[in-house]
PDB file of all heavy atoms in Angstrom:
ATOM      1  N   GLY A 127     168.653 218.903 -29.166  1.00  0.00           N
ATOM      2  CA  GLY A 127     170.101 218.818 -29.250  1.00  0.00           C
ATOM      3  C   GLY A 127     170.600 217.402 -28.999  1.00  0.00           C
ATOM      4  O   GLY A 127     170.132 216.730 -28.077  1.00  0.00           O
ATOM      5  N   PHE A 128     171.542 216.937 -29.820  1.00  0.00           N
ATOM      6  CA  PHE A 128     172.054 215.573 -29.679  1.00  0.00           C
ATOM      7  C   PHE A 128     173.566 215.498 -29.820  1.00  0.00           C
ATOM      8  O   PHE A 128     174.140 214.416 -29.689  1.00  0.00           O
ATOM      9  CB  PHE A 128     171.411 214.642 -30.717  1.00  0.00           C
ATOM     10  CG  PHE A 128     171.645 215.067 -32.145  1.00  0.00           C
ATOM     11  CD1 PHE A 128     172.810 214.714 -32.815  1.00  0.00           C
ATOM     12  CD2 PHE A 128     170.704 215.827 -32.818  1.00  0.00           C
ATOM     13  CE1 PHE A 128     173.032 215.103 -34.134  1.00  0.00           C
ATOM     14  CE2 PHE A 128     170.906 216.219 -34.140  1.00  0.00           C
ATOM     15  CZ  PHE A 128     172.079 215.857 -34.800  1.00  0.00           C
ATOM     16  N   PHE A 129     174.239 216.600 -30.043  1.00  0.00           N
ATOM     17  CA  PHE A 129     175.681 216.555 -30.263  1.00  0.00           C
ATOM     18  C   PHE A 129     176.389 215.972 -29.045  1.00  0.00           C
ATOM     19  O   PHE A 129     176.088 216.307 -27.897  1.00  0.00           O
ATOM     20  CB  PHE A 129     176.230 217.954 -30.544  1.00  0.00           C
ATOM     21  CG  PHE A 129     175.641 218.614 -31.762  1.00  0.00           C
ATOM     22  CD1 PHE A 129     175.475 219.986 -31.805  1.00  0.00           C
ATOM     23  CD2 PHE A 129     175.268 217.864 -32.866  1.00  0.00           C
ATOM     24  CE1 PHE A 129     174.939 220.607 -32.923  1.00  0.00           C
ATOM     25  CE2 PHE A 129     174.727 218.468 -33.987  1.00  0.00           C
ATOM     26  CZ  PHE A 129     174.559 219.847 -34.011  1.00  0.00           C
ATOM     27  N   GLY A 130     177.353 215.098 -29.304  1.00  0.00           N
ATOM     28  CA  GLY A 130     178.150 214.495 -28.247  1.00  0.00           C
ATOM     29  C   GLY A 130     177.521 213.301 -27.564  1.00  0.00           C
ATOM     30  O   GLY A 130     178.138 212.691 -26.697  1.00  0.00           O
ATOM     31  N   GLN A 131     176.296 212.948 -27.962  1.00  0.00           N
ATOM     32  CA  GLN A 131     175.576 211.843 -27.333  1.00  0.00           C
ATOM     33  C   GLN A 131     175.507 210.648 -28.286  1.00  0.00           C
ATOM     34  O   GLN A 131     175.337 210.810 -29.488  1.00  0.00           O
ATOM     35  CB  GLN A 131     174.158 212.276 -26.968  1.00  0.00           C
ATOM     36  CG  GLN A 131     174.087 213.489 -26.066  1.00  0.00           C
ATOM     37  CD  GLN A 131     172.675 214.007 -25.904  1.00  0.00           C
ATOM     38  OE1 GLN A 131     171.702 213.271 -26.079  1.00  0.00           O
ATOM     39  NE2 GLN A 131     172.536 215.283 -25.585  1.00  0.00           N
ATOM     40  N   ILE A 132     175.611 209.443 -27.741  1.00  0.00           N
ATOM     41  CA  ILE A 132     175.501 208.230 -28.560  1.00  0.00           C
ATOM     42  C   ILE A 132     174.042 208.007 -28.935  1.00  0.00           C
ATOM     43  O   ILE A 132     173.158 208.009 -28.087  1.00  0.00           O
ATOM     44  CB  ILE A 132     176.049 207.003 -27.803  1.00  0.00           C
ATOM     45  CG1 ILE A 132     177.551 207.162 -27.552  1.00  0.00           C
ATOM     46  CG2 ILE A 132     175.770 205.716 -28.590  1.00  0.00           C
ATOM     47  CD1 ILE A 132     178.150 206.046 -26.714  1.00  0.00           C
ATOM     48  N   ASP A 133     173.812 207.822 -30.199  1.00  0.00           N
ATOM     49  CA  ASP A 133     172.467 207.548 -30.724  1.00  0.00           C
ATOM     50  C   ASP A 133     172.325 206.052 -30.949  1.00  0.00           C
ATOM     51  O   ASP A 133     172.811 205.508 -31.946  1.00  0.00           O
ATOM     52  CB  ASP A 133     172.257 208.314 -32.026  1.00  0.00           C
ATOM     53  CG  ASP A 133     170.906 208.027 -32.681  1.00  0.00           C
ATOM     54  OD1 ASP A 133     170.087 207.296 -32.079  1.00  0.00           O
ATOM     55  OD2 ASP A 133     170.676 208.537 -33.795  1.00  0.00           O
ATOM     56  N   ASN A 134     171.659 205.369 -30.022  1.00  0.00           N
ATOM     57  CA  ASN A 134     171.388 203.939 -30.165  1.00  0.00           C
ATOM     58  C   ASN A 134     169.954 203.672 -30.592  1.00  0.00           C
ATOM     59  O   ASN A 134     169.549 202.512 -30.724  1.00  0.00           O
ATOM     60  CB  ASN A 134     171.662 203.214 -28.843  1.00  0.00           C
ATOM     61  CG  ASN A 134     173.143 202.940 -28.639  1.00  0.00           C
ATOM     62  OD1 ASN A 134     173.842 202.571 -29.584  1.00  0.00           O
ATOM     63  ND2 ASN A 134     173.616 203.118 -27.424  1.00  0.00           N
ATOM     64  N   ILE A 135     169.187 204.736 -30.786  1.00  0.00           N
ATOM     65  CA  ILE A 135     167.789 204.568 -31.182  1.00  0.00           C
ATOM     66  C   ILE A 135     167.691 204.309 -32.681  1.00  0.00           C
ATOM     67  O   ILE A 135     166.965 203.410 -33.131  1.00  0.00           O
ATOM     68  CB  ILE A 135     166.973 205.811 -30.787  1.00  0.00           C
ATOM     69  CG1 ILE A 135     166.969 205.975 -29.267  1.00  0.00           C
ATOM     70  CG2 ILE A 135     165.539 205.706 -31.327  1.00  0.00           C
ATOM     71  CD1 ILE A 135     166.303 207.243 -28.784  1.00  0.00           C
ATOM     72  N   ASN A 136     168.408 205.088 -33.453  1.00  0.00           N
ATOM     73  CA  ASN A 136     168.405 204.929 -34.904  1.00  0.00           C
ATOM     74  C   ASN A 136     169.505 203.956 -35.298  1.00  0.00           C
ATOM     75  O   ASN A 136     170.692 204.283 -35.238  1.00  0.00           O
ATOM     76  CB  ASN A 136     168.638 206.287 -35.584  1.00  0.00           C
ATOM     77  CG  ASN A 136     167.558 207.292 -35.235  1.00  0.00           C
ATOM     78  OD1 ASN A 136     166.386 207.062 -35.499  1.00  0.00           O
ATOM     79  ND2 ASN A 136     167.954 208.411 -34.635  1.00  0.00           N
ATOM     80  N   LYS A 137     169.125 202.738 -35.665  1.00  0.00           N
ATOM     81  CA  LYS A 137     170.120 201.692 -35.910  1.00  0.00           C
ATOM     82  C   LYS A 137     169.563 200.640 -36.855  1.00  0.00           C
ATOM     83  O   LYS A 137     168.369 200.347 -36.839  1.00  0.00           O
ATOM     84  CB  LYS A 137     170.503 201.032 -34.587  1.00  0.00           C
ATOM     85  CG  LYS A 137     171.604 199.984 -34.685  1.00  0.00           C
ATOM     86  CD  LYS A 137     171.831 199.316 -33.333  1.00  0.00           C
ATOM     87  CE  LYS A 137     172.311 200.291 -32.290  1.00  0.00           C
ATOM     88  NZ  LYS A 137     172.554 199.614 -30.982  1.00  0.00           N
ATOM     89  N   PHE A 138     170.438 200.089 -37.705  1.00  0.00           N
ATOM     90  CA  PHE A 138     170.028 198.953 -38.522  1.00  0.00           C
ATOM     91  C   PHE A 138     171.221 198.028 -38.751  1.00  0.00           C
ATOM     92  O   PHE A 138     172.366 198.422 -38.576  1.00  0.00           O
ATOM     93  CB  PHE A 138     169.415 199.405 -39.854  1.00  0.00           C
ATOM     94  CG  PHE A 138     170.379 200.051 -40.817  1.00  0.00           C
ATOM     95  CD1 PHE A 138     170.980 199.310 -41.822  1.00  0.00           C
ATOM     96  CD2 PHE A 138     170.659 201.415 -40.739  1.00  0.00           C
ATOM     97  CE1 PHE A 138     171.850 199.900 -42.716  1.00  0.00           C
ATOM     98  CE2 PHE A 138     171.524 202.012 -41.620  1.00  0.00           C
ATOM     99  CZ  PHE A 138     172.133 201.261 -42.620  1.00  0.00           C
ATOM    100  N   TYR A 139     170.913 196.787 -39.122  1.00  0.00           N
ATOM    101  CA  TYR A 139     171.907 195.760 -39.420  1.00  0.00           C
ATOM    102  C   TYR A 139     171.827 195.402 -40.910  1.00  0.00           C
ATOM    103  O   TYR A 139     170.747 195.402 -41.490  1.00  0.00           O
ATOM    104  CB  TYR A 139     171.642 194.466 -38.665  1.00  0.00           C
ATOM    105  CG  TYR A 139     171.654 194.510 -37.159  1.00  0.00           C
ATOM    106  CD1 TYR A 139     171.102 193.461 -36.436  1.00  0.00           C
ATOM    107  CD2 TYR A 139     172.225 195.553 -36.449  1.00  0.00           C
ATOM    108  CE1 TYR A 139     171.110 193.452 -35.051  1.00  0.00           C
ATOM    109  CE2 TYR A 139     172.241 195.566 -35.066  1.00  0.00           C
ATOM    110  CZ  TYR A 139     171.674 194.513 -34.371  1.00  0.00           C
ATOM    111  OH  TYR A 139     171.675 194.502 -33.004  1.00  0.00           O
ATOM    112  N   MET A 140     172.959 195.038 -41.471  1.00  0.00           N
ATOM    113  CA  MET A 140     173.009 194.411 -42.794  1.00  0.00           C
ATOM    114  C   MET A 140     173.976 193.237 -42.704  1.00  0.00           C
ATOM    115  O   MET A 140     174.989 193.324 -42.009  1.00  0.00           O
ATOM    116  CB  MET A 140     173.493 195.395 -43.871  1.00  0.00           C
ATOM    117  CG  MET A 140     172.585 196.591 -44.074  1.00  0.00           C
ATOM    118  SD  MET A 140     173.260 197.793 -45.258  1.00  0.00           S
ATOM    119  CE  MET A 140     173.079 196.876 -46.792  1.00  0.00           C
ATOM    120  N   TRP A 141     173.655 192.137 -43.400  1.00  0.00           N
ATOM    121  CA  TRP A 141     174.562 190.994 -43.352  1.00  0.00           C
ATOM    122  C   TRP A 141     174.487 190.186 -44.645  1.00  0.00           C
ATOM    123  O   TRP A 141     173.477 190.146 -45.331  1.00  0.00           O
ATOM    124  CB  TRP A 141     174.249 190.093 -42.155  1.00  0.00           C
ATOM    125  CG  TRP A 141     172.890 189.458 -42.178  1.00  0.00           C
ATOM    126  CD1 TRP A 141     172.532 188.268 -42.740  1.00  0.00           C
ATOM    127  CD2 TRP A 141     171.683 190.014 -41.627  1.00  0.00           C
ATOM    128  NE1 TRP A 141     171.193 188.035 -42.566  1.00  0.00           N
ATOM    129  CE2 TRP A 141     170.648 189.083 -41.887  1.00  0.00           C
ATOM    130  CE3 TRP A 141     171.391 191.190 -40.935  1.00  0.00           C
ATOM    131  CZ2 TRP A 141     169.336 189.313 -41.483  1.00  0.00           C
ATOM    132  CZ3 TRP A 141     170.083 191.407 -40.532  1.00  0.00           C
ATOM    133  CH2 TRP A 141     169.073 190.468 -40.801  1.00  0.00           C
ATOM    134  N   ASN A 142     175.602 189.553 -44.943  1.00  0.00           N
ATOM    135  CA  ASN A 142     175.703 188.638 -46.069  1.00  0.00           C
ATOM    136  C   ASN A 142     174.974 187.346 -45.701  1.00  0.00           C
ATOM    137  O   ASN A 142     175.172 186.821 -44.605  1.00  0.00           O
ATOM    138  CB  ASN A 142     177.194 188.358 -46.342  1.00  0.00           C
ATOM    139  CG  ASN A 142     177.436 187.590 -47.620  1.00  0.00           C
ATOM    140  OD1 ASN A 142     176.698 186.685 -47.959  1.00  0.00           O
ATOM    141  ND2 ASN A 142     178.497 187.967 -48.322  1.00  0.00           N
ATOM    142  N   VAL A 143     174.137 186.845 -46.583  1.00  0.00           N
ATOM    143  CA  VAL A 143     173.381 185.636 -46.259  1.00  0.00           C
ATOM    144  C   VAL A 143     174.252 184.379 -46.286  1.00  0.00           C
ATOM    145  O   VAL A 143     173.851 183.331 -45.786  1.00  0.00           O
ATOM    146  CB  VAL A 143     172.179 185.464 -47.218  1.00  0.00           C
ATOM    147  CG1 VAL A 143     171.206 186.621 -47.056  1.00  0.00           C
ATOM    148  CG2 VAL A 143     172.637 185.330 -48.670  1.00  0.00           C
ATOM    149  N   GLN A 144     175.459 184.464 -46.846  1.00  0.00           N
ATOM    150  CA  GLN A 144     176.356 183.318 -46.876  1.00  0.00           C
ATOM    151  C   GLN A 144     177.082 183.189 -45.545  1.00  0.00           C
ATOM    152  O   GLN A 144     177.471 184.181 -44.928  1.00  0.00           O
ATOM    153  CB  GLN A 144     177.363 183.459 -48.024  1.00  0.00           C
ATOM    154  CG  GLN A 144     176.705 183.506 -49.399  1.00  0.00           C
ATOM    155  CD  GLN A 144     177.716 183.712 -50.508  1.00  0.00           C
ATOM    156  OE1 GLN A 144     178.904 183.893 -50.269  1.00  0.00           O
ATOM    157  NE2 GLN A 144     177.238 183.686 -51.747  1.00  0.00           N
ATOM    158  N   VAL A 145     177.279 181.934 -45.100  1.00  0.00           N
ATOM    159  CA  VAL A 145     177.864 181.652 -43.795  1.00  0.00           C
ATOM    160  C   VAL A 145     179.224 180.975 -43.980  1.00  0.00           C
ATOM    161  O   VAL A 145     179.406 180.152 -44.884  1.00  0.00           O
ATOM    162  CB  VAL A 145     176.924 180.743 -42.966  1.00  0.00           C
ATOM    163  CG1 VAL A 145     177.531 180.433 -41.610  1.00  0.00           C
ATOM    164  CG2 VAL A 145     175.560 181.403 -42.803  1.00  0.00           C
ATOM    165  N   VAL A 146     180.186 181.312 -43.124  1.00  0.00           N
ATOM    166  CA  VAL A 146     181.502 180.687 -43.183  1.00  0.00           C
ATOM    167  C   VAL A 146     181.423 179.255 -42.657  1.00  0.00           C
ATOM    168  O   VAL A 146     180.476 178.883 -41.953  1.00  0.00           O
ATOM    169  CB  VAL A 146     182.537 181.495 -42.369  1.00  0.00           C
ATOM    170  CG1 VAL A 146     182.684 182.903 -42.932  1.00  0.00           C
ATOM    171  CG2 VAL A 146     182.159 181.546 -40.896  1.00  0.00           C
ATOM    172  N   SER A 147     182.442 178.478 -42.963  1.00  0.00           N
ATOM    173  CA  SER A 147     182.423 177.056 -42.585  1.00  0.00           C
ATOM    174  C   SER A 147     182.694 176.839 -41.098  1.00  0.00           C
ATOM    175  O   SER A 147     182.240 175.862 -40.512  1.00  0.00           O
ATOM    176  CB  SER A 147     183.447 176.275 -43.423  1.00  0.00           C
ATOM    177  OG  SER A 147     184.750 176.815 -43.242  1.00  0.00           O
ATOM    178  N   GLU A 148     183.451 177.755 -40.464  1.00  0.00           N
ATOM    179  CA  GLU A 148     183.768 177.636 -39.039  1.00  0.00           C
ATOM    180  C   GLU A 148     183.398 178.937 -38.337  1.00  0.00           C
ATOM    181  O   GLU A 148     184.246 179.813 -38.105  1.00  0.00           O
ATOM    182  CB  GLU A 148     185.249 177.320 -38.846  1.00  0.00           C
ATOM    183  CG  GLU A 148     185.674 175.990 -39.468  1.00  0.00           C
ATOM    184  CD  GLU A 148     187.142 175.691 -39.222  1.00  0.00           C
ATOM    185  OE1 GLU A 148     187.696 176.230 -38.233  1.00  0.00           O
ATOM    186  OE2 GLU A 148     187.730 174.930 -39.993  1.00  0.00           O
TER     187      GLU A 148
END
Side-chain angles (χ1 to χ4, degrees):
F128 59 84
F129 300 147
Q131 303 171 24
I132 295 175
D133 177 5
N134 280 319
I135 297 174
N136 299 301
K137 184 184 297 181
F138 68 96
Y139 299 164
M140 297 175 71
W141 63 89
N142 189 321
V143 297
Q144 298 177 356
V145 179
V146 299
S147 58
E148 298 182 24

